[in-house]
Amino acid sequence: MMEKVKVFVQYMKRIFVTIVIMSLLVLPVVFAQQPSYEGSIVKFQVRYSVKRSSITQDYEVLINNKGVVVVSINDYYTNPESPHIVKTGKLSAEEFQDFKSFVINTGVFQFQNEYIASGTMVELSSERIKFVIGNKTKEIVIGSTTAPSKLRAIIQRIEEIKSRIR
């Protein structure tokens, strides 16, 4: 009986040593595959779209986690034959970090989901902005000019970025 216990203990030691060795071999590989974000938020995306009651120009601006900007314009007035225009660009790393910090520090998750004046038909004329920060998402519909100044400041920054994309 004692012999069986000794064999069992040796067997368990081998299993333990094997697990430790495998862990030491596998863990560095797992951690090496994780990208380093140096304290930044992993997911970050802002999508701002404008729909006006006139048929002149609706547009959408998307700024993704890598600072890539996509401007999608439906311009029925000046381009009736080919109204859909897409322009892309990339923010510098510094400008993207500045914009990202500005959005995060504004506290976008504290805003209401809607800022709509009575009688406004948001299907015809509205602004929509969607923030994805980390694992949280916030969508805001603006159907009036009464949105908070901090939200308007973000929109103004997006408009400035849009104007530079050629």
Side-chain angles (χ1 to χ4, degrees):
M1 178 76 161
M2 197 62 158
E3 190 65 36
K4 287 183 179 180
V5 171
K6 285 182 182 179
V7 170
F8 178 75
V9 169
Q10 286 180 340
Y11 179 72
M12 292 305 289
K13 283 182 182 177
R14 286 183 188 158
I15 290 175
F16 178 74
V17 169
T18 303
I19 291 172
V20 169
I21 291 172
M22 293 297 286
S23 297
L24 292 174
L25 293 173
V26 171
L27 286 177
V29 172
V30 169
F31 285 113
Q33 291 176 349
Q34 300 297 321
S36 170
Y37 294 99
E38 301 168 1
S40 68
I41 303 234
V42 176
K43 276 200 255 178
F44 179 86
Q45 180 176 311
V46 176
R47 181 181 302 266
Y48 172 65
S49 59
V50 175
K51 186 173 189 177
R52 298 290 180 222
S53 57
S54 65
I55 60 167
T56 55
Q57 199 177 81
D58 297 339
Y59 61 90
E60 180 175 275
V61 179
L62 171 69
I63 303 170
N64 75 12
N65 197 43
K66 297 186 187 296
V68 173
V69 181
V70 179
V71 179
S72 180
I73 303 169
N74 289 318
D75 186 353
Y76 302 101
Y77 186 71
T78 56
N79 294 320
E81 260 102 81
S82 178
H84 192 70
I85 303 163
V86 177
K87 301 187 279 185
T88 60
K90 186 164 176 36
L91 301 176
S92 69
E94 182 180 312
E95 184 178 18
F96 175 66
Q97 275 306 120
D98 182 53
F99 175 73
K100 185 174 167 180
S101 296
F102 180 73
V103 169
I104 291 168
N105 292 333
T106 301
V108 295
F109 296 104
Q110 304 302 315
F111 293 129
Q112 297 175 21
N113 293 334
E114 295 181 342
Y115 294 95
I116 301 172
S118 63
T120 302
M121 296 181 67
V122 293
E123 299 83 18
L124 296 178
S125 180
S126 65
E127 298 168 85
R128 295 174 187 271
I129 190 161
K130 179 179 181 179
F131 302 96
V132 178
I133 301 173
N135 61 356
K136 296 172 87 178
T137 300
K138 178 72 171 186
E139 276 190 80
I140 303 168
V141 178
I142 306 165
S144 68
T145 57
T146 60
S149 60
K150 286 184 175 185
L151 183 56
R152 285 285 169 210
I154 293 173
I155 291 169
Q156 182 179 354
R157 294 276 297 263
I158 294 169
E159 292 284 356
E160 290 167 2
I161 291 168
K162 173 188 169 267
S163 70
R164 292 195 316 266
I165 302 300
R166 302 279 171 219

